[in-house]
Every structure is written in C-alpha cells, then in structure tokens.
Amino acid sequence: MHSLNDPQLLREIIMDHYEHPRNRGLVDDDSYLKINMNSQTCIDNLDIQVKFDGDKIEDVRYDGEACAICTSSTSIMSELVKGKTKQEAQKIIDNYMNMIYEKDYDPEILEEAIAFQNTYKQANRIKCATLGWSGLVALMKESEE
Amino acid sequence: MFDVNQIRKDFPMLNGKKMQGHPLIYLDNGATTLKPQVVIESVCDYLTNYSGNAHRGDYDLSHEVDEHYEKSRDIVRQFINAKRKEEIVFTSGSTDSLNMIAYGYGLTHLKANDEILITVAEHASNTLPWFDVARLTGASVHYIDLDETGRLTLENVQKAVNENTKIIAVAEVTNVLGYQAPMKDICQFAHERGIVVVVDGAQSVPHQVTDVQETDIDFLAFSGHKMCGPTGIGVMYGKYDLLKDMKPTRLGGGSNSRYNSCGVVTLKDPPYRFEAGTPHIEGAIGLGAAMQYLMKIGMNHIHEYEQELRQYCIQKMLQLDNVEVYNPHSMGAIAFNIKGVFSQDAASLFNSYGIAIRAGQHCAKILDEFLKVSTTLRASFYFYNTKEEIDAFIEVCKKGDDFLDAFFK
Ligand SMILES: Cc1ncc(COP(=O)(O)O)c(C=O)c1O
C-alpha cells in the first residue's frame, strides 16, 4: 500500500497517469455505452466508454481534452474498476467521493486514487477530479435501464 | 500625480484579502474588477438613506432617487463624451447591451442576403446574438480576417466589406488578444457606405479615454463591473436617431407613455423606452461613483500606467524559456501558456500562491482556430496592480513545471 503521507509519491502517481494514461483511446464498438462528460464551467471535455458484461465492467475507455487532474483521475479510475462487478465498483466510487468531499473513507480500497486526497483544498479542482468518475456513474445507471 | 500606493488604499480587497494564505494578487481584471470604497459607499448610501423607486412617485424621496439616477446617466455621458444624456441607456451589462442592439436594431433592419461582419476574436456576447439574428432574418455572419498577429486592421475591414454589408460589430479591444481596433477609421469607411458600427467596449472603456463623438461609433456596449462599478449594471450607448429607430426588446412599466385596451401603445422617447421595469438603481448610482473616481485619476493616466505595467511584465516573460506569449505587442490582457502544462493546471498553481488568473477559452471559443492552441492563460491588469505583484507572478511562471505543487501544499 502507498504511504498516505508522502506527497512526493502521490505526485508521481498523478504525473505517471497524466503522462501515460491507461486505457485511453476510444473504440469503435456498439457494445460499449458512451457518454460525453463536458464540464460546463471549465475546459475538461472527455468521452467515456464502458463495456458491461452482465454485472461485470469489462472495459473502460476515455479520450478528449483534459487537465492533469482530470486525465489522471480518470486513468486511475479505469484501472480500478476494470474487471470488477458493478457492486464492487460502486463501493470504490462511494469511497472516492467521500474522500473528495472530506467524509470518512477507506484508503485501502482506493489504492492509487488516494493521490487525490487533497482535492478539497483546491475547491475549483473538485470538478476535474470527479468528471471521469461521474461519467462512469452515469453509464452504470444507464446499463440498468 | 499617479501614485499606485495611494490608490491601493482605496480598495478594501487590496488591504487584507487573502487567497490560499497569501495576500491576494488580482490579475483577472478582464473578468471583473475590484471596487473602491467610494463605490461601496455610494451603493450603501442609496440603500441606507434614500432607497425608493425612480420615476414613480410624487414625493420628495422619489424625486431624490431620480436626481441621483439621472445624475449617473449624465456622468456616463461625460465619461464617453456622448452628445446628449438621452443616448445613454442603462442595461445589465455588455451582454445585455449587445443583445438589445442585435435584437432591437439588427432584427428590425436586416433582411435576407444582408451581411454582418465580426471577427473570430469576438466574445460570445458579440457573436451568438448575431448568429441568431442572422438565422432569423436570412442575413449571414462573415468574419473580417485578423492580421498575422491577431490585430484588426482597416485594410482587412475594407477587404471584407461588400455591398451587402449592413453591420460591423467588433470589440474595440478584444478580451484575449487585447489589440486596439482603429475605430475611427473603421467608422469613417463604414459610414461612407451606410454601414452601422456596433462596438463592444467591455475591454476598452475601462482602460482608456473613450470619445464616441471623436470615433463616431454608432453603438457602444460596456459593463460597469469591469470598471470598478457594481455587477448587474452596464450601458448601451446609441446615437439618438438610431435609438429612436430601434425597438425595445423588453416592454413594460416605465417604458410607455400611454396605451389602451386595443393594444395601441405609445412608447416613451429614448432612453426610457429601453428601461422597462424598475432599473438597477443602486447599480447605476455605483457606476456613476466609479466613473467619477476614474475620471479623477484620469483615464489617460490609467492607460499610461497600465501600458507601463504590461511592458514590464512582457519583458520579464519573454526572458523565460518555459513561457509562450501569444500577444507580446498588444495593449490589453496577456495571453500565454506555460509550455507543457495544461492551462487549468497552471491556473491552480498560481492560485496556490494567491494569484488570480484565468484559464480557458475566455468566452472566445472560435479564437482557437486563429491561435492554434485550444486554451490559454490570461493575465489582465488594472491601474491598482503593481510591479511587485508582477514580480511575484513571474516567480510562479518559473515554477511552471511543478504545477502539481498546488495540489500537495
Ligand atoms: C470583450 C467582451 N465583451 C463582452 C463581455 C461580456 O460582459 P458582461 O459579462 O459584463 O456582460 C466581456 C466580458 O467578459 C468581454 O470581455
């Protein structure tokens, strides 16, 4: 597990995912659900694709123009939920949102996503750190319809 | 004598306000400006000592309100050197003014095949109303080319105009690139061809001497909050004959002189026909106070000092390898990027040092086609900024690569 108190390590996590985003790039495949997450108040603009296999999240893709915080938080999210059941993913999402909004959360389950634990100190970045995550939430909901 | 230290004492926000634990360095004056104590007091004075409606009562209090409200109108007239105060219409801001011009004048005067000329550097508020009015009338919007630096030149206006051109709508100073348009020359050329010139003065009126008679512009829009005044108040100037020939976009109380049950309405003369409903009285009064404050310092002194600040800042920025400046030679905002850093991430870094600058497209969403970068940082000064603040800003520019510091402080 990562040390929660080592800003240097947390920075490196964000930079690594910003410079080498995982699961980036959209696929041309109708079996994916797709949503555009376009922050109305800032520049971040991501398309997000998720492929569900029954209850399982089989794949997560995204692409677009976004800042370091938005790109890296989405990259980490994609790695965390890929291969998980919707229920498992929901638990991760809930903990992540709790962390962002300064409520109780379990750092263990968030793995690298704990790099965003300071987001609340820069309130204008909350949108960046949650844009991709909110896209996943919307697509999970859509898959239930 | 222009003394910035003396001036700063007039602004409560420059005396104690902190951001992220640092004294606020406010470099987002293109978005809005800070307010001096005299403006705050004038608004409080209305709210405390004579709050009543304007033009509505037959008692002393109402008369007192009228006098202050109309006095502000005359201060605005003086500030932009309009011929008569009836040419000054209070609106809610530049956006409101430009919409009133587009729908009140454009919609009633344009017909199919007419052309409206704008530029890609225009603010959304001087673009979207024209798109819509063109759609409604069958007219079309065309773009005057900017020169290679981003400037609007008379030569390019001449190239873009043809016999169908009816309206030219441009910013006197654009909000991202900050170049000054040659308004007087453009107006002269346009008027020889019967073309009406609409000027977005949101970024020019606050920073330089404005003389609508000298430039001969037909319409002018600007916002109070970008020139030390309250939010929610702005001005639409129009030549009186044009205003008489223009339709109000809102109707209601205060704008008509009589009407009957058959629907026959007689509108009041300008400016009152455009001011239906209870106006933003304390806003107008605050704007009057702001303009008096600015005139006392002198718009020429303000302009000179701001140019000195800009020069100082640009010189330092051009020495930095990691900074790209897109408009070193203009006179308004500085548009730049820190190489390799997404603008929003950079703005966060500045924020963490108490420096307010804006990131993004700055409401000029088609300018990217010209700049070839999709987003920029924008630093914009006002006469209360200092060289010391610019030094602090430059130090943060140098730290660009550490932009994630903002996140871990
Ligand atoms: C050039 C320009 N035009 C219009 C506007 C709109 O002004 P307001 O938001 O006060 O209506 C702005 C403000 O951002 C501007 O910079």
Side-chain angles (χ1 to χ4, degrees):
Chain A
M1 260 299 86
H2 307 289
S3 159
L4 296 183
N5 301 318
D6 184 356
Q8 193 48 41
L9 184 66
L10 299 181
R11 280 173 73 111
E12 278 167 20
I13 293 172
I14 294 181
M15 274 320 277
D16 179 40
H17 280 269
Y18 179 44
E19 287 171 349
H20 311 284
R22 326 288 201 268
N23 301 309
R24 183 167 187 142
L26 301 179
V27 291
D28 188 11
D29 180 343
D30 287 346
S31 63
Y32 282 72
L33 293 181
K34 183 173 172 185
I35 190 170
N36 173 257
M37 295 302 286
N38 180 347
S39 168
Q40 300 211 341
T41 50
C42 69
I43 316 154
D44 296 327
N45 186 349
L46 285 182
D47 285 320
I48 297 167
Q49 284 180 316
V50 178
K51 182 177 172 132
F52 294 97
D53 178 11
D55 193 42
K56 223 174 103 193
I57 297 174
E58 199 172 289
D59 195 13
V60 180
R61 317 287 314 174
Y62 57 92
D63 210 348
E65 184 172 27
C67 65
I69 302 303
C70 185
T71 303
S72 57
S73 64
T74 305
S75 170
I76 290 173
M77 178 271 285
S78 73
E79 285 203 318
L80 274 176
V81 301
K82 230 169 118 165
K84 300 268 184 355
T85 65
K86 286 183 196 168
Q87 206 186 4
E88 288 165 336
Q90 190 61 51
K91 196 167 162 201
I92 297 171
I93 294 167
D94 290 344
N95 274 282
Y96 184 76
M97 292 298 178
N98 279 352
M99 174 183 79
I100 295 286
Y101 291 104
E102 285 186 273
K103 294 185 208 141
D104 288 340
Y105 66 97
D106 175 7
E108 292 293 318
I109 188 176
L110 288 181
E111 301 185 26
E112 288 190 321
I114 57 163
F116 299 96
Q117 60 182 278
N118 280 338
T119 306
Y120 69 91
K121 290 191 196 167
Q122 298 261 343
N124 56 333
R125 302 313 292 276
I126 288 177
K127 275 177 304 214
C128 312
T130 55
L131 192 77
W133 290 73
S134 302
L136 172 66
V137 170
L139 291 178
M140 281 171 54
K141 211 174 191 179
E142 190 183 328
S143 74
E144 296 295 324
E145 282 164 7
Chain B
M1 247 315 277
F2 185 92
D3 179 354
V4 69
N5 292 321
Q6 207 55 41
I7 283 170
R8 287 174 71 84
K9 291 185 189 153
D10 298 335
F11 290 80
M13 288 273 291
L14 294 174
N15 293 281
K17 177 72 183 172
K18 296 207 161 176
M19 203 163 73
Q20 297 268 328
H22 297 268
L24 173 69
I25 297 183
Y26 188 73
L27 302 182
D28 193 17
N29 293 286
T32 196
T33 55
L34 308 179
K35 319 303 174 202
Q37 191 63 37
V38 284
V39 169
I40 298 164
E41 275 164 16
S42 76
V43 172
C44 290
D45 185 34
Y46 165 75
L47 296 174
T48 314
N49 296 316
Y50 61 98
S51 56
N53 212 328
H55 313 308
R56 300 285 164 86
D58 299 305
Y59 41 85
D60 288 357
L61 171 61
S62 176
H63 181 69
E64 193 180 351
V65 177
D66 280 2
E67 284 204 329
H68 282 90
Y69 185 70
E70 291 305 320
K71 183 177 153 217
S72 280
R73 198 188 302 280
D74 197 54
I75 295 168
V76 176
R77 184 206 61 73
Q78 191 192 341
F79 193 90
I80 63 171
N81 194 32
K83 211 180 275 171
R84 47 194 291 196
K85 84 182 180 60
E86 290 77 15
E87 295 178 322
I88 307 300
V89 179
F90 285 121
T91 66
S92 76
S94 306
T95 303
D96 192 27
S97 305
L98 290 162
N99 274 271
M100 284 166 72
I101 298 163
Y103 291 95
Y105 187 85
L107 195 57
T108 51
H109 288 76
L110 291 168
K111 49 186 193 326
N113 301 322
D114 284 347
E115 295 186 7
I116 305 158
L117 290 179
I118 65 171
T119 76
V120 293
E122 299 309 315
H123 191 276
S125 298
N126 193 32
T127 305
L128 304 187
W130 298 115
F131 283 176
D132 194 42
V133 164
R135 210 173 39 76
L136 292 168
T137 56
S140 52
V141 173
H142 295 264
Y143 299 93
I144 307 165
D145 283 338
L146 302 173
D147 78 0
E148 66 286 352
T149 57
R151 204 184 296 264
L152 175 62
T153 63
L154 176 64
E155 200 189 342
N156 284 347
V157 172
Q158 289 167 339
K159 277 190 208 152
V161 164
N162 62 35
E163 66 276 13
N164 296 325
T165 309
K166 293 289 153 42
I167 292 176
I168 296 176
V170 292
E172 186 166 25
V173 171
T174 52
N175 71 319
V176 181
L177 294 179
Y179 289 103
Q180 162 95 35
M183 274 341 301
K184 192 178 171 177
D185 297 343
I186 293 174
C187 285
Q188 195 187 349
F189 177 78
H191 291 159
E192 284 164 7
R193 286 155 185 79
I195 300 165
V196 167
V197 181
V198 177
V199 178
D200 176 353
Q203 300 293 349
S204 58
V205 175
H207 302 279
Q208 61 195 50
V209 176
T210 302
D211 186 334
V212 293
Q213 293 189 69
E214 159 80 9
T215 47
D216 202 26
I217 61 186
D218 297 303
F219 288 105
L220 174 68
F222 58 96
S223 302
H225 69 95
K226 294 186 199 282
M227 52 192 303
C228 295
T231 56
I233 187 79
V235 171
M236 172 181 75
Y237 159 82
K239 285 182 181 162
Y240 193 74
D241 290 346
L242 292 170
L243 290 182
K244 277 219 90 141
D245 193 25
M246 175 171 161
K247 212 169 129 37
T249 50
R250 279 177 287 111
L251 298 170
S255 68
N256 62 84
S257 45
R258 58 184 59 83
Y259 59 91
N260 62 24
S261 58
C262 305
V264 178
V265 183
T266 312
L267 291 176
K268 286 185 180 169
D269 284 333
Y272 305 106
R273 71 165 60 163
F274 300 104
E275 294 181 359
T278 299
H280 185 13
I281 300 172
E282 65 263 44
I285 287 164
L287 176 58
M291 286 183 162
Q292 280 184 316
Y293 176 79
L294 295 174
M295 284 189 284
K296 205 163 136 206
I297 299 170
M299 289 310 294
N300 49 348
H301 295 138
I302 286 174
H303 186 67
E304 239 169 71
Y305 176 69
E306 285 180 24
Q307 291 313 301
E308 186 184 319
L309 280 184
R310 192 179 196 281
Q311 280 304 320
Y312 180 81
C313 189
I314 287 284
Q315 257 178 24
K316 298 210 159 193
M317 288 176 92
L318 292 180
Q319 285 165 17
L320 303 179
D321 288 338
N322 68 332
V323 169
E324 185 157 15
V325 181
Y326 300 104
N327 57 350
H329 303 298
S330 86
M331 37 182 267
I334 298 176
F336 69 106
N337 266 319
I338 296 185
K339 289 180 190 163
V341 183
F342 198 73
S343 61
Q344 209 163 310
D345 294 318
S348 268
L349 179 67
F350 284 101
N351 176 54
S352 69
Y353 288 92
I355 302 174
I357 62 166
R358 183 145 179 220
Q361 298 169 318
H362 319 291
C363 300
K365 297 196 189 211
I366 44 183
L367 186 61
D368 56 350
E369 295 165 22
F370 175 83
L371 277 181
K372 313 265 187 295
V373 289
S374 64
T375 69
T376 57
L377 294 164
R378 180 181 76 173
S380 49
F381 307 123
Y382 213 14
F383 58 94
Y384 41 65
N385 289 125
T386 64
K387 290 185 179 166
E388 290 72 33
E389 289 179 321
I390 290 174
D391 291 340
F393 162 78
I394 293 290
E395 286 311 306
V396 179
C397 285
K398 290 180 189 165
K399 294 185 211 293
D401 288 345
D402 305 326
F403 67 92
L404 278 181
D405 280 359
F407 222 65
F408 291 102
K409 276 174 54 155

